[in-house]
Amino acid sequence: MSIDVRFNIQRGDFNLVVDTVIPNRGVTAIFGPSGSGKTTLLRAISGLEQCEDGYLKVGETVWQDNSWFVPTYKRKIGYVFQEPSLFTHLNVQNNINYGMTRAKCRNSVSKLPHTIELLQISHLLQRMPWQLSGGEQQRVAIARALAADPTMLLLDEPLAALGDEQKAAILPFLESVYKTLAIPVLYVSHSREEVACLADHLLLLDHGRLHAAGTVKDIFTDIDLPLAHQTGAESIIEATVAGYNTHFGLVQLEFSGGTFSVASASLPAHSNVRIQVLARDVSITLERQKNTSILNIIAVTIDRIEPETNAQMILRLVTGNTVLLSRISCKSAYDLDLKKGDKVYAQIKSASLLI
Amino acid sequence: MILSDQNFTALFVTLKLASISTIVLLILGTPLAWWLARSQWRFKYIIEAIIALPLILPPTVLGFYLLISLGPNGPLGGLLKMLGAAPLAFTFTGLVIGSVFYSMPFVVQPLQTAFSGIGQRPLEVAATLGASRLDRFVTIVLPMARPGFITASVLGFAHTLGEFGVVLMIGGNIPGTTQVVSIAIYDHVEALEYSQAHGLAGTLLILSFMLLMIVYGANRRYAVGQP
């Protein structure tokens, strides 16, 4: 099961060409700078943007080809727009009911209390949209989309219209929604941070062209792609909680190729976590250091060395299935005589690990 | 202030004309306004200009052309004659047709503004939630454009109430059929029956004022609390 997407959309000067396969599970981020065609792609998948030259197959169902077009209202999608877009003449309950009654699905009715609880909007049900804050409205919009029991959830930068505080407040809701969903989620974003937190897969768009498609950790650490060269370049590591050092308040996180110690005692045992490691927080030594405050020292192999500026270069390091990026100065690389294939040690301060 | 039977009849004809015209205008004006609000057609402005014509045209000009076309030798009247129907000039139906043309801009323009104000987004949201085209119109557009419908109905009704020139041209002045209040008042004044004119004019004034008050009051209550 997967989603086959093939579009060639011309809108004035702008031309969007996409030909890819999106996994039918997990969160796929459509990522790129403003004007790269992210929203247009999402709208084309929803059927809101109609184009002659397109092919779209979701699982076994063809939604669009040269002679066939399923209108949006028959596609069973949930769509969350950039701004909350609640129906202003209906209260929160009736906004949520709007899609649910049309879905004619018992399933969605039985799941509704769970959705309302998940998004914490039960106290808002009788209010009118203009009585809610932006963050509350967007939570209701997400609940409304989910209540219609969609086969796919499409989100167009649902946090973009919110302030930082509201954004931080709604992010955990989104995370828990994604975790409990068994349907594919397509998520448009230009925020690297959101993608690093939420997405499993990534479609990288630029100027209407699909630059790359793959898992988030592969694309974030692919030195041939721009993400690995941005200031915030980072690696993403999926790890499992393996043990605790209660005396020092540390958690052991096990991943393919090593273990990290992190100061975060609240994680439940055996739970899966995602660690973000910034390239600038990873340093290299040729021998394992002993007298150091750094807790996390991992044996790695240098996979690639790529100069970025006159002064800095980026290293791609491999251990097991895990890839780490390290940004160091050219002088250090020269002094240590680093070459591709060298076995070295990567050092990461535990305080700089983001979970 | 007692109204004569003839005045009562004129009042009745006027209210009947205004009510029927308003209903016809809403039925015709709603799809027309919707089309005008949504269409990307480049020559749309021609249609808009035609609809707005009665705003600037002297009613007698409109009435004159309607009289010509509705009469037995006019294109519309001739067609009706061929089909075996009576010509429409000097009939109540003719008056309704005249009023519909005459009051069209007062209904279409507020509706068009209301429809445009809704924007694309609520309709897109409704489509993603499984609402078909007709469903979207009934459950989203109509309730969201409610203030526009109220304004359109009031203006259409009130404008027809005060109609004079068009009626005079195509309706004649047949008591019980085409004699409306505005013409009856004119007749009374011509005949120096000032007390009769007073009665009718005062009744129409109070009636119109009450109508507008009720409608604006309702509209205000509906709008309270909206951002």
Side-chain angles (χ1 to χ4, degrees):
Chain A
M1 290 280 274
S2 58
I3 304 161
D4 290 15
V5 184
R6 211 156 60 224
F7 286 117
N8 186 346
I9 301 173
Q10 190 74 42
R11 293 282 179 269
D13 290 342
F14 180 74
N15 178 226
L16 175 72
V17 181
V18 172
D19 183 353
T20 188
V21 176
I22 298 170
N24 209 2
R25 273 203 78 89
V27 179
T28 301
I30 302 173
F31 185 66
S34 316
S36 56
K38 308 185 292 290
T39 298
T40 307
L41 175 60
L42 201 69
R43 288 173 61 84
I45 292 171
S46 71
L48 291 172
E49 191 84 36
Q50 299 190 15
C51 62
E52 291 78 48
D53 191 4
Y55 177 81
L56 178 62
K57 193 172 118 185
V58 178
E60 296 306 311
T61 320
V62 174
W63 281 5
Q64 178 179 355
D65 63 18
N66 291 332
S67 58
W68 178 251
F69 187 86
V70 179
T72 302
Y73 77 95
K74 287 186 180 160
R75 289 194 178 191
K76 278 190 80 62
I77 49 165
Y79 199 114
V80 180
F81 292 84
Q82 213 172 84
E83 75 290 344
S85 321
L86 297 181
F87 298 130
T88 49
H89 64 293
L90 299 176
N91 69 12
V92 168
Q93 179 77 61
N94 288 330
N95 262 284
I96 293 173
N97 289 351
Y98 193 90
M100 200 169 69
T101 50
R102 282 164 180 79
K104 297 181 190 74
C105 176
R106 285 171 182 282
N107 198 14
S108 61
V109 179
S110 66
K111 274 194 295 195
L112 186 63
H114 174 71
T115 307
I116 287 173
E117 191 196 342
L118 195 68
L119 291 157
Q120 293 180 15
I121 53 171
S122 55
H123 61 296
L124 307 172
L125 292 176
Q126 297 311 315
R127 300 218 193 140
M128 294 303 285
W130 48 267
Q131 294 173 305
L132 309 182
S133 73
E136 287 170 337
Q137 289 194 37
Q138 202 58 301
R139 262 147 58 198
V140 173
I142 294 166
R144 178 176 67 178
L146 291 174
D149 199 39
T151 53
M152 190 195 296
L153 186 62
L154 308 170
L155 300 106
D156 185 4
E157 303 204 43
L159 309 182
L162 305 178
D164 280 345
E165 222 164 283
Q166 290 185 315
K167 210 180 271 191
I170 204 172
L171 212 59
F173 291 116
L174 275 181
E175 236 179 314
S176 49
V177 165
Y178 295 161
K179 274 184 188 155
T180 54
L181 279 184
I183 57 170
V185 177
L186 296 190
Y187 184 93
V188 164
S189 179
H190 69 253
S191 154
R192 185 191 175 101
E193 193 191 338
E194 274 172 44
V195 171
C197 287
L198 298 173
D200 304 311
H201 304 272
L202 198 61
L203 301 183
L204 196 60
L205 278 183
D206 196 15
H207 292 96
R209 296 290 180 276
L210 185 65
H211 260 214
T215 65
V216 169
K217 56 179 186 177
D218 285 352
I219 291 183
F220 268 42
T221 55
D222 187 335
I223 288 197
D224 295 323
L225 293 171
L227 285 174
H229 298 288
Q230 291 173 353
T231 342
E234 64 194 315
S235 348
I236 289 173
I237 299 170
E238 303 284 354
T240 318
V241 177
Y244 301 90
N245 182 337
T246 43
H247 188 62
F248 291 108
L250 292 175
V251 184
Q252 258 88 48
L253 303 175
E254 207 172 84
F255 58 90
S256 168
T259 310
F260 279 141
S261 293
V262 179
S264 174
S266 60
L267 295 168
H270 308 297
S271 61
N272 294 318
V273 294
R274 175 177 282 195
I275 311 167
Q276 291 164 251
V277 189
L278 287 168
R280 62 164 181 262
D281 290 332
V282 179
S283 62
I284 304 291
T285 59
L286 295 179
E287 282 152 45
R288 186 181 279 273
Q289 301 289 303
K290 289 201 179 88
N291 306 317
T292 171
S293 70
I294 292 173
L295 282 178
N296 300 304
I297 301 176
I298 296 148
V300 293
T301 310
I302 298 179
D303 177 60
R304 269 185 75 172
I305 302 178
E306 199 69 30
E308 289 186 314
T309 62
N310 285 338
Q312 284 189 329
M313 50 178 47
I314 195 111
L315 305 183
R316 190 172 187 272
L317 313 165
V318 179
T319 169
N321 294 324
T322 304
V323 177
L324 270 177
L325 291 182
S326 166
R327 181 172 283 143
I328 57 171
S329 67
C330 294
K331 179 175 186 315
S332 314
Y334 177 81
D335 288 349
L336 297 177
D337 189 25
L338 297 179
K339 292 183 304 294
K340 179 179 158 71
D342 283 359
K343 302 227 179 298
V344 295
Y345 293 90
Q347 307 189 118
I348 307 135
K349 276 188 75 165
S350 77
S352 66
L353 291 171
L354 299 167
I355 295 174
Chain B
M1 205 157 63
I2 296 157
L3 294 177
S4 67
D5 283 353
Q6 195 196 333
N7 284 352
F8 258 120
T9 313
L11 196 61
F12 175 73
V13 170
T14 306
L15 293 177
K16 190 170 106 178
L17 177 65
S19 310
I20 293 177
S21 300
T22 306
I23 291 167
V24 173
L25 277 166
L26 287 176
I27 292 169
L28 296 178
T30 302
L32 186 59
W34 179 246
W35 178 79
L36 286 172
R38 307 274 297 188
S39 170
Q40 305 283 329
W41 189 47
R42 53 191 295 214
F43 297 115
K44 192 172 78 174
Y45 64 90
I46 298 175
I47 310 289
E48 287 177 306
I50 291 173
I51 290 169
L53 262 184
L55 289 176
I56 54 155
L57 221 51
T60 41
V61 174
L62 186 68
F64 173 66
Y65 283 122
L66 279 169
L67 178 66
I68 301 269
S69 56
L70 291 178
N73 300 321
L76 262 171
L79 187 75
L80 285 170
K81 204 171 155 189
M82 248 166 51
L83 297 170
L88 292 170
F90 308 113
T91 64
F92 184 76
T93 314
L95 274 196
V96 172
I97 294 174
S99 305
V100 165
F101 276 104
Y102 180 56
S103 301
M104 188 66 93
F106 294 86
V107 171
V108 168
Q109 287 183 353
L111 287 182
Q112 188 183 342
T113 310
F115 290 155
S116 305
I118 293 171
Q120 190 70 19
R121 192 41 56 84
L123 297 169
E124 289 186 346
V125 173
T128 65
L129 291 170
S132 68
R133 202 180 267 261
L134 182 67
D135 189 0
R136 296 200 287 270
F137 190 78
V138 174
T139 59
I140 305 297
V141 175
L142 292 188
M144 286 185 96
R146 195 170 111 169
F149 274 99
I150 292 174
T151 309
S153 312
V154 174
L155 290 180
F157 191 87
H159 196 241
T160 312
L161 271 190
E163 180 176 331
F164 184 80
V166 178
V167 178
L168 200 64
M169 293 300 274
I170 62 170
N173 195 2
I174 307 162
T177 311
T178 60
Q179 191 187 52
V180 296
V181 170
S182 56
I183 292 173
I185 293 171
Y186 181 76
D187 280 355
H188 288 314
V189 174
E190 286 279 275
L192 296 175
E193 300 164 351
Y194 273 46
S195 70
Q196 289 292 326
H198 260 307
L200 212 47
T203 309
L204 202 62
L205 179 72
I206 292 168
L207 208 77
S208 306
F209 179 63
M210 274 167 50
L211 177 79
L212 288 176
M213 221 165 54
I214 289 167
V215 163
Y216 281 113
N219 227 4
R220 195 187 67 97
R221 200 177 57 210
Y222 174 69
V224 161
Q226 293 276 351

